[in-house]
Amino acid sequence: MAITLVNPAGLPETGVYHHVSVASGSRLVHLAGQVAWDADGVTVGEGDLAAQVEQCYLNIATALAGAGATFDDVAKLTVHVVDWTPDKMPLLLDGIARAAARLGTTPAPPATLLGVAALDVPEHLVEIEAVAVLG
């Protein structure tokens, strides 16, 4: 594995992500931001943040597989949520948990959460970017 996830002493344990990823691989994989589209380009979970987060993670897994990677190779996630407020955190976490259960993994690389005014189309509530490293 080209990625080692670390929570250094002196930083809080989040339970959702690690603070540091150390990459020892030689190939970078950059994914376009993934939204809640199915394979036909139809939005999944319109109006449902948890369902859209789940679909984003499933799409990331599909894109990673296309590059010969898995979530174990992800060095960093960036999550963009429309009109973010802290009360949406349970929905975000629910979507991640549902995706983790379906994928059989717990994706917990370093992550940045950003609130945004809008995404590509009004029905999209979340978009997630990923960077992976392969050995």
Side-chain angles (χ1 to χ4, degrees):
M1 220 173 358
I3 299 293
T4 302
L5 300 177
V6 181
N7 277 323
L11 294 176
E13 292 280 337
T14 67
V16 179
Y17 64 89
H18 288 80
H19 289 281
V20 177
S21 67
V22 179
S24 60
S26 60
R27 292 183 4 194
L28 282 176
V29 178
H30 294 267
L31 301 187
Q34 296 300 302
V35 294
W37 277 330
D38 66 12
D40 296 319
V42 175
T43 298
V44 172
E46 192 166 335
D48 182 343
L49 180 60
Q52 289 200 15
V53 168
E54 178 182 9
Q55 186 63 44
C56 288
Y57 273 79
L58 296 176
N59 289 349
I60 289 168
T62 299
L64 288 168
T70 70
F71 265 103
D72 289 337
D73 301 305
V74 174
K76 176 81 166 63
L77 293 172
T78 304
V79 180
H80 307 264
V81 181
V82 174
D83 297 327
W84 175 258
T85 55
D87 64 309
K88 293 180 180 178
M89 184 61 82
L91 295 171
L92 180 76
L93 296 177
D94 181 44
I96 293 169
R98 288 163 37 181
R102 288 183 64 184
L103 295 169
T105 186
T106 302
T112 298
L113 173 61
L114 300 169
V116 297
L119 292 171
D120 59 330
V121 294
E123 59 267 18
H124 288 160
L125 304 175
V126 61
E127 182 169 338
I128 305 174
E129 301 172 46
V131 176
V133 178
L134 299 176

Tab-separated table of all heavy atoms in Angstrom, residues 100-130:
chain	number	residue	atom	x	y	z
A	100	ALA	N	-19.680	3.131	3.118
A	100	ALA	CA	-18.674	2.231	3.685
A	100	ALA	C	-19.230	0.816	3.810
A	100	ALA	O	-18.540	-0.160	3.502
A	100	ALA	CB	-18.205	2.752	5.040
A	101	ALA	N	-20.469	0.702	4.244
A	101	ALA	CA	-21.095	-0.620	4.382
A	101	ALA	C	-21.222	-1.296	3.022
A	101	ALA	O	-20.954	-2.498	2.893
A	101	ALA	CB	-22.455	-0.492	5.052
A	102	ARG	N	-21.625	-0.555	2.023
A	102	ARG	CA	-21.781	-1.143	0.683
A	102	ARG	C	-20.443	-1.502	0.056
A	102	ARG	O	-20.336	-2.464	-0.700
A	102	ARG	CB	-22.553	-0.183	-0.229
A	102	ARG	CG	-24.024	-0.119	0.145
A	102	ARG	CD	-24.833	0.757	-0.761
A	102	ARG	NE	-24.874	0.274	-2.130
A	102	ARG	CZ	-25.476	0.937	-3.116
A	102	ARG	NH1	-26.096	2.077	-2.863
A	102	ARG	NH2	-25.487	0.462	-4.338
A	103	LEU	N	-19.397	-0.694	0.356
A	103	LEU	CA	-18.091	-0.916	-0.241
A	103	LEU	C	-17.228	-1.875	0.565
A	103	LEU	O	-16.195	-2.338	0.089
A	103	LEU	CB	-17.352	0.422	-0.388
A	103	LEU	CG	-17.982	1.423	-1.353
A	103	LEU	CD1	-17.330	2.795	-1.199
A	103	LEU	CD2	-17.884	0.919	-2.792
A	104	GLY	N	-17.630	-2.136	1.811
A	104	GLY	CA	-16.846	-3.014	2.665
A	104	GLY	C	-15.541	-2.391	3.128
A	104	GLY	O	-14.560	-3.097	3.359
A	105	THR	N	-15.512	-1.084	3.250
A	105	THR	CA	-14.316	-0.368	3.687
A	105	THR	C	-14.730	0.845	4.498
A	105	THR	O	-15.885	1.262	4.449
A	105	THR	CB	-13.462	0.068	2.479
A	105	THR	OG1	-12.244	0.635	2.951
A	105	THR	CG2	-14.179	1.084	1.607
A	106	THR	N	-13.791	1.401	5.240
A	106	THR	CA	-14.049	2.635	5.973
A	106	THR	C	-13.123	3.706	5.428
A	106	THR	O	-11.962	3.803	5.844
A	106	THR	CB	-13.809	2.446	7.487
A	106	THR	OG1	-14.656	1.390	7.942
A	106	THR	CG2	-14.132	3.716	8.254
A	107	PRO	N	-13.598	4.501	4.470
A	107	PRO	CA	-12.731	5.533	3.896
A	107	PRO	C	-12.497	6.650	4.911
A	107	PRO	O	-13.419	7.336	5.302
A	107	PRO	CB	-13.520	6.036	2.686
A	107	PRO	CG	-14.915	5.581	2.884
A	107	PRO	CD	-14.902	4.457	3.856
A	108	ALA	N	-11.243	6.806	5.360
A	108	ALA	CA	-10.947	7.801	6.383
A	108	ALA	C	-9.646	8.559	6.116
A	108	ALA	O	-8.894	8.842	7.033
A	108	ALA	CB	-10.897	7.132	7.748
A	109	PRO	N	-9.354	8.905	4.851
A	109	PRO	CA	-8.148	9.694	4.605
A	109	PRO	C	-8.366	11.131	5.089
A	109	PRO	O	-9.488	11.509	5.425
A	109	PRO	CB	-8.017	9.652	3.081
A	109	PRO	CG	-9.425	9.535	2.599
A	109	PRO	CD	-10.101	8.656	3.620
A	110	PRO	N	-7.294	11.934	5.116
A	110	PRO	CA	-7.497	13.337	5.432
A	110	PRO	C	-8.565	13.923	4.507
A	110	PRO	O	-8.650	13.558	3.331
A	110	PRO	CB	-6.133	13.971	5.155
A	110	PRO	CG	-5.159	12.859	5.384
A	110	PRO	CD	-5.881	11.633	4.875
A	111	ALA	N	-9.371	14.802	5.072
A	111	ALA	CA	-10.472	15.375	4.290
A	111	ALA	C	-10.664	16.834	4.661
A	111	ALA	O	-10.415	17.241	5.797
A	111	ALA	CB	-11.761	14.604	4.551
A	112	THR	N	-11.104	17.607	3.686
A	112	THR	CA	-11.475	18.996	3.901
A	112	THR	C	-12.933	19.138	3.520
A	112	THR	O	-13.357	18.646	2.475
A	112	THR	CB	-10.610	19.931	3.030
A	112	THR	OG1	-9.248	19.770	3.413
A	112	THR	CG2	-11.023	21.381	3.193
A	113	LEU	N	-13.710	19.782	4.378
A	113	LEU	CA	-15.133	20.018	4.143
A	113	LEU	C	-15.331	21.502	3.879
A	113	LEU	O	-14.958	22.332	4.711
A	113	LEU	CB	-15.947	19.577	5.362
A	113	LEU	CG	-17.436	19.889	5.368
A	113	LEU	CD1	-18.144	19.205	4.208
A	113	LEU	CD2	-18.054	19.465	6.687
A	114	LEU	N	-15.908	21.817	2.727
A	114	LEU	CA	-16.138	23.204	2.335
A	114	LEU	C	-17.614	23.445	2.066
A	114	LEU	O	-18.246	22.660	1.356
A	114	LEU	CB	-15.351	23.535	1.061
A	114	LEU	CG	-13.834	23.375	1.133
A	114	LEU	CD1	-13.234	23.480	-0.259
A	114	LEU	CD2	-13.251	24.412	2.062
A	115	GLY	N	-18.150	24.516	2.588
A	115	GLY	CA	-19.495	24.944	2.234
A	115	GLY	C	-19.416	25.795	0.981
A	115	GLY	O	-18.537	26.643	0.857
A	116	VAL	N	-20.314	25.534	0.047
A	116	VAL	CA	-20.342	26.280	-1.217
A	116	VAL	C	-21.748	26.795	-1.468
A	116	VAL	O	-22.721	26.270	-0.925
A	116	VAL	CB	-19.860	25.412	-2.402
A	116	VAL	CG1	-18.413	24.985	-2.216
A	116	VAL	CG2	-20.745	24.187	-2.596
A	117	ALA	N	-21.868	27.814	-2.301
A	117	ALA	CA	-23.173	28.390	-2.619
A	117	ALA	C	-23.962	27.490	-3.562
A	117	ALA	O	-25.181	27.357	-3.426
A	117	ALA	CB	-23.005	29.775	-3.236
A	118	ALA	N	-23.286	26.874	-4.531
A	118	ALA	CA	-23.984	26.056	-5.529
A	118	ALA	C	-22.980	25.132	-6.203
A	118	ALA	O	-21.774	25.352	-6.139
A	118	ALA	CB	-24.647	26.946	-6.570
A	119	LEU	N	-23.502	24.106	-6.864
A	119	LEU	CA	-22.695	23.192	-7.667
A	119	LEU	C	-23.164	23.271	-9.115
A	119	LEU	O	-23.864	24.207	-9.488
A	119	LEU	CB	-22.788	21.768	-7.107
A	119	LEU	CG	-22.127	21.584	-5.740
A	119	LEU	CD1	-22.460	20.223	-5.155
A	119	LEU	CD2	-20.625	21.779	-5.831
A	120	ASP	N	-22.832	22.272	-9.917
A	120	ASP	CA	-23.086	22.318	-11.354
A	120	ASP	C	-24.561	22.408	-11.730
A	120	ASP	O	-24.917	23.078	-12.680
A	120	ASP	CB	-22.434	21.123	-12.043
A	120	ASP	CG	-22.949	19.790	-11.519
A	120	ASP	OD1	-23.325	19.713	-10.331
A	120	ASP	OD2	-22.964	18.808	-12.288
A	121	VAL	N	-25.405	21.702	-11.006
A	121	VAL	CA	-26.851	21.770	-11.247
A	121	VAL	C	-27.554	21.893	-9.899
A	121	VAL	O	-27.043	21.426	-8.882
A	121	VAL	CB	-27.374	20.529	-12.026
A	121	VAL	CG1	-26.804	20.476	-13.441
A	121	VAL	CG2	-27.074	19.243	-11.297
A	122	PRO	N	-28.719	22.513	-9.855
A	122	PRO	CA	-29.375	22.787	-8.572
A	122	PRO	C	-29.683	21.552	-7.731
A	122	PRO	O	-29.690	21.644	-6.501
A	122	PRO	CB	-30.671	23.492	-8.968
A	122	PRO	CG	-30.448	24.003	-10.335
A	122	PRO	CD	-29.453	23.086	-10.979
A	123	GLU	N	-29.905	20.391	-8.348
A	123	GLU	CA	-30.266	19.209	-7.552
A	123	GLU	C	-29.072	18.554	-6.860
A	123	GLU	O	-29.246	17.712	-5.992
A	123	GLU	CB	-31.045	18.182	-8.380
A	123	GLU	CG	-30.339	17.660	-9.589
A	123	GLU	CD	-30.648	18.437	-10.867
A	123	GLU	OE1	-31.143	19.571	-10.803
A	123	GLU	OE2	-30.369	17.897	-11.950
A	124	HIS	N	-27.857	18.945	-7.221
A	124	HIS	CA	-26.678	18.369	-6.566
A	124	HIS	C	-26.369	19.118	-5.284
A	124	HIS	O	-26.182	20.328	-5.272
A	124	HIS	CB	-25.465	18.386	-7.497
A	124	HIS	CG	-25.587	17.400	-8.595
A	124	HIS	ND1	-24.864	17.490	-9.750
A	124	HIS	CD2	-26.363	16.296	-8.733
A	124	HIS	CE1	-25.181	16.481	-10.550
A	124	HIS	NE2	-26.099	15.748	-9.945
A	125	LEU	N	-26.306	18.368	-4.176
A	125	LEU	CA	-26.068	18.938	-2.850
A	125	LEU	C	-24.629	18.769	-2.391
A	125	LEU	O	-24.197	19.439	-1.451
A	125	LEU	CB	-27.000	18.266	-1.832
A	125	LEU	CG	-28.491	18.327	-2.129
A	125	LEU	CD1	-29.273	17.526	-1.099
A	125	LEU	CD2	-28.959	19.776	-2.184
A	126	VAL	N	-23.879	17.863	-3.028
A	126	VAL	CA	-22.522	17.550	-2.595
A	126	VAL	C	-21.694	17.115	-3.807
A	126	VAL	O	-22.214	16.515	-4.746
A	126	VAL	CB	-22.526	16.459	-1.493
A	126	VAL	CG1	-23.127	15.170	-1.991
A	126	VAL	CG2	-21.149	16.242	-0.904
A	127	GLU	N	-20.410	17.453	-3.751
A	127	GLU	CA	-19.438	16.996	-4.741
A	127	GLU	C	-18.157	16.666	-3.992
A	127	GLU	O	-17.739	17.424	-3.112
A	127	GLU	CB	-19.166	18.076	-5.788
A	127	GLU	CG	-18.208	17.657	-6.874
A	127	GLU	CD	-18.154	18.637	-8.036
A	127	GLU	OE1	-19.124	19.405	-8.225
A	127	GLU	OE2	-17.148	18.622	-8.759
A	128	ILE	N	-17.540	15.524	-4.316
A	128	ILE	CA	-16.375	15.065	-3.570
A	128	ILE	C	-15.245	14.767	-4.543
A	128	ILE	O	-15.413	14.014	-5.497
A	128	ILE	CB	-16.688	13.814	-2.728
A	128	ILE	CG1	-17.885	14.086	-1.811
A	128	ILE	CG2	-15.458	13.390	-1.922
A	128	ILE	CD1	-18.380	12.884	-1.032
A	129	GLU	N	-14.082	15.379	-4.279
A	129	GLU	CA	-12.863	15.145	-5.056
A	129	GLU	C	-11.947	14.202	-4.289
A	129	GLU	O	-11.978	14.187	-3.053
A	129	GLU	CB	-12.091	16.454	-5.249
A	129	GLU	CG	-12.832	17.556	-5.950
A	129	GLU	CD	-12.040	18.847	-5.900
A	129	GLU	OE1	-10.815	18.816	-6.168
A	129	GLU	OE2	-12.632	19.885	-5.593
A	130	ALA	N	-11.132	13.453	-5.014
A	130	ALA	CA	-10.190	12.551	-4.368
A	130	ALA	C	-8.848	12.574	-5.087
A	130	ALA	O	-8.790	12.746	-6.311
A	130	ALA	CB	-10.735	11.119	-4.364
